[in-house]
Amino acid sequence: RHQLRRHVNTDSDSEVLLNIFADSLIHGETTKVDGNDDAMVENIFAAVEKVMKMCKGGYAGMYLINGIALIGFRDPHGIRPIVFGSRKSPKSANGNEMMDYVFASESVAIDTLGFDLVRDVEPSEAIIITMDGKVHTRRCLPENECKFAPCIFEYVYFARPDSIIDGISVYESRLKMGEKLAYQIVERYPDHDIDVVIPIPDTSRTSAVQAAYILGRPYREGFIKNRYIARTFIMPGQETRKKSVRLKLNTIKSEFAGRNVLLVDDSVVRGTTATEIIQMARDAGANKVYLTSAAPPIRYPNIYGIDIPTRKELVAYERDEEQIAKILGCDWVVYQRLGDLEDSVRESGDCPEHDYETSCFSGTYVTGENINDEYFAKLHDLRNDSAKETRLKESTNGLPPGSHDGCENLSNDKRVRKVG
């Protein structure tokens, strides 16, 4: 806002990326020179390079320059996914074959639209498709500045199971997560008395199916989800999250009554959702309730686009499994080991041995930050529950200030209105 002197409507990092990209284009030439696209394409590559040099973190961008080109690019570490697809254009005629192109964060979108998956966009790579259908690709930064480390949480939670990311099947990786969880339970509790395995919908279903198979116990659906309730772990305020869990899920009591139940979740963040669900299982008549997580304990904040809160609000912060189980109200809890999670992903596709972005589990940040940096103290001040609730109360009608559906928020209108 101050350095580039550009107006920013929101606190979204996506808007910052767009403004840096646009500012670079303003200082370059984005029109054809003597009917040649080369100068235009070079300027677009230069704009993407400026974004990557100025913006540190995880991002994937897709921009359309009207009448000029479609651009897709990925951050230097490949933290966020983006894929590239193509199909024969319906406009092809008289032996003149034309191609349509598409970018998406997941391969499932490309399948749905009837395109063929070409490949994933590489770290620091930009792909430019000009109006004549030509495809230009380039790695915008030197290879020694691009340590490939895709976010492992995409496989745990965010991606759809029918997607393929960086050559790895999300579905297969979640099966492996369930398998390794089950083997860990057998290793630690060889005389376990689990009667039934129940997933906490939706993401954990794939892992729960495989865990039940390995444990030799029946898989049952014990919770029915209300699909019109948003994700609870990103809702502002503890009380709001607690109320939303009860609205989001309802139990099938016959699956719990008198049984020792193993609940399988994809991950546990603050523990609010897990605590309510465990109590719901007990209210439905469960004898014992055990909890297992397909992800390791989340003990550190995420700074690459996932709204995982500050450390002190995380249930696993400075606690072991026994302490966590006591807080959640379950009989015991088993978390996935980080090494097993990484192996689950690696074993699910033909991929090279590379690192993964696992900062919320390990506290190691691929962009070089240290958890004791002043940056994280500022992050805590901005992102803790109390700060979010204060900002919400200060805004008009409880709505955040900024742009709404492309229109300026009325709360920003300082004109005096006449009444009557």
Side-chain angles (χ1 to χ4, degrees):
R1 180 182 283 125
H2 302 294
Q3 183 179 347
L4 300 181
R5 297 184 180 276
R6 296 184 68 89
H7 179 69
V8 180
N9 286 304
T10 70
D11 58 1
S12 168
D13 51 5
S14 299
E15 188 178 1
V16 174
L17 288 169
L18 178 59
N19 272 277
I20 293 171
F21 178 81
D23 183 76
S24 182
L25 287 182
I26 287 172
H27 292 91
E29 179 59 65
T30 56
T31 56
K32 296 182 182 180
V33 181
D34 297 327
N36 193 322
D37 288 341
D38 291 348
M40 173 191 65
V41 168
E42 287 301 317
N43 282 315
I44 295 173
F45 277 129
V48 176
E49 181 180 345
K50 182 177 180 180
V51 169
M52 292 185 181
K53 286 182 176 178
M54 290 187 68
C55 300
K56 194 176 175 184
Y59 50 85
M62 194 282 289
Y63 300 146
L64 175 65
I65 305 176
N66 192 28
I68 302 287
L70 179 69
I71 305 106
F73 60 91
R74 191 176 186 184
D75 69 80
H77 299 285
I79 296 172
R80 293 285 148 244
I82 180 171
V83 290
F84 172 51
S86 68
R87 71 180 178 190
K88 184 178 177 180
S89 175
K91 297 179 181 178
S92 300
N94 301 323
N96 182 23
E97 185 171 297
M98 300 173 65
M99 299 296 292
D100 292 333
Y101 297 96
V102 64
F103 292 102
S105 60
E106 294 186 41
S107 65
V108 64
I110 289 177
D111 297 337
T112 303
L113 293 171
F115 285 73
D116 295 320
L117 177 64
V118 176
R119 61 179 176 85
D120 295 84
V121 178
E122 297 294 325
S124 86
E125 183 183 24
I127 298 177
I128 300 171
I129 303 159
T130 50
M131 294 298 291
D132 57 5
K134 291 181 180 177
V135 179
H136 308 262
T137 68
R138 180 181 299 176
R139 297 284 288 268
C140 295
L141 295 181
E143 194 170 338
N144 61 356
E145 296 181 23
C146 307
K147 179 187 177 184
F148 189 36
C151 177
I152 206 163
F153 213 70
E154 295 282 350
Y155 298 95
V156 171
Y157 178 66
F158 283 117
R160 265 181 45 163
D162 46 342
S163 280
I164 296 172
I165 301 176
D166 294 312
I168 296 168
S169 164
V170 175
Y171 176 77
E172 294 292 338
S173 70
R174 289 178 184 168
L175 284 177
K176 287 284 185 183
M177 292 174 206
E179 181 179 307
K180 292 182 187 298
L181 271 176
Y183 283 131
Q184 186 186 164
I185 290 170
V186 171
E187 172 192 323
R188 294 172 58 182
Y189 300 98
D191 300 320
H192 69 80
D193 55 357
I194 296 167
D195 294 319
V196 64
V197 177
I198 294 177
I200 298 173
D202 285 314
T203 317
S204 64
R205 282 194 173 107
T206 310
S207 297
V209 165
Q210 191 68 357
Y213 175 76
I214 298 297
L215 291 170
R217 295 295 187 270
Y219 168 92
R220 292 289 186 269
E221 292 284 348
F223 295 101
I224 300 301
K225 184 178 179 181
N226 179 348
R227 298 184 182 278
Y228 303 99
I229 299 294
R231 288 169 174 159
T232 52
F233 87 91
I234 60 175
M235 287 181 173
Q238 186 80 342
E239 287 304 313
T240 302
R241 288 190 292 270
K242 287 177 70 174
K243 290 177 183 176
S244 296
V245 172
R246 294 276 179 167
L247 293 173
K248 185 176 183 178
L249 295 173
N250 193 29
T251 56
I252 299 176
K253 293 181 172 56
S254 59
E255 296 295 349
F256 294 92
R259 293 178 174 178
N260 299 328
V261 178
L262 175 66
L263 301 180
V264 180
D265 205 352
D266 51 75
S267 56
V268 181
V269 185
R270 292 179 178 87
T272 308
T273 302
T275 301
E276 289 297 311
I277 287 172
I278 289 164
Q279 187 57 51
M280 287 171 69
R282 294 198 187 281
D283 292 344
N287 181 31
K288 294 180 181 178
V289 181
Y290 308 118
L291 177 68
T292 189
S293 167
I298 297 174
R299 293 194 166 103
Y300 303 91
N302 183 279
I303 58 174
Y304 302 123
I306 303 174
D307 191 18
I308 289 177
T310 57
R311 281 190 291 173
K312 293 180 181 179
E313 293 175 358
L314 299 169
V315 71
Y317 176 63
E318 293 186 341
R319 297 187 182 101
D320 58 26
E321 287 185 350
E322 186 176 347
Q323 292 169 317
I324 294 168
K326 188 174 181 180
I327 290 172
L328 298 180
C330 58
D331 293 273
W332 50 249
V333 60
V334 170
Y335 282 94
Q336 187 84 264
R337 296 173 179 131
L338 181 55
D340 284 345
L341 175 60
E342 292 176 322
D343 288 343
S344 295
V345 178
R346 290 193 181 104
E347 293 169 9
S348 302
D350 185 16
C351 61
E353 289 288 319
H354 56 67
D355 293 331
Y356 288 94
E357 199 294 297
T358 61
S359 57
C360 56
F361 309 124
S362 64
T364 301
Y365 296 88
V366 297
T367 48
E369 287 79 9
N370 185 288
I371 193 64
N372 296 315
D373 291 346
E374 185 182 349
Y375 169 77
F376 286 95
K378 292 180 179 178
L379 200 66
H380 170 79
D381 293 340
L382 288 170
R383 293 172 63 176
N384 68 75
D385 270 354
S386 177
K388 288 180 180 178
E389 289 176 1
T390 299
R391 286 197 298 272
L392 197 61
K393 288 176 182 177
E394 289 175 352
S395 64
T396 303
N397 298 325
L399 295 173
S403 174
H404 293 272
D405 295 326
C407 301
E408 187 75 5
N409 192 326
L410 285 175
S411 66
N412 294 333
D413 188 352
K414 305 305 180 185
R415 294 172 297 179
V416 177
R417 291 180 176 83
K418 294 181 179 180
V419 180

